[in-house]
Amino acid sequence: MTKKELQEFYWTQRNIEKLESRIEELVAFATKQTTRIKNDADSIHGTGFNDRLGDIMAELTDLKTELQQQLQEALNKQLAIEQSIMDLPEREKYLIRARYIERKSWEEIAVDMNYNWRWIHRLHAKALKMLA
């Protein structure tokens, strides 16, 4: 397991968050449009509400498909990370898991592990060498 692979997992998780956020936005917008259609049935004809709602639903379907693919990719990467760190000493395993799976900041990890920031980076470098 390389640092690049660990970083790829991090960015896969960030992309998943963005997809989830966009899906939430579209669901909220679709709900608003549906409510508007129900409240103003006379205005449906000729205004494009149904077309717009159809476009939103199509985008939602596409995003949900992409989200499922990203989730599967993330799960595969996480399993590979877990497998590769299994043989690390507990301290290094904890650090790698905290940084790349739990996505904690260096400062959070330093406080959590009761080490200073510089020592955490040294420990991280040591763990990466052990993974290579």
Side-chain angles (χ1 to χ4, degrees), residues 11-27:
W11 288 108
T12 298
Q13 290 179 306
R14 294 285 306 267
N15 285 330
I16 287 170
E17 288 176 357
K18 290 292 184 184
L19 283 171
E20 290 171 335
S21 177
R22 180 64 180 147
I23 288 170
E24 287 175 15
E25 289 172 8
L26 287 174
V27 167

Side-chain angles (χ1 to χ4, degrees), residues 43-97:
S43 67
I44 294 172
H45 305 292
T47 61
F49 274 134
N50 288 332
D51 289 343
R52 191 166 184 178
L53 193 55
D55 291 343
I56 291 169
M57 297 310 290
E59 186 177 351
L60 268 171
T61 300
D62 292 344
L63 287 174
K64 286 182 178 182
T65 299
E66 184 178 347
L67 179 60
Q68 286 301 320
Q69 292 169 346
Q70 290 279 332
L71 287 169
Q72 186 60 50
E73 181 181 336
L75 178 61
N76 292 340
K77 287 178 181 180
Q78 183 173 347
L79 291 172
I81 291 169
E82 293 286 354
Q83 185 68 32
S84 67
I85 67 174
M86 193 177 295
D87 294 329
L88 288 177
E90 291 302 315
R91 182 176 64 171
E92 287 79 358
K93 187 185 309 184
Y94 184 88
L95 185 146
I96 295 295
R97 187 175 287 120

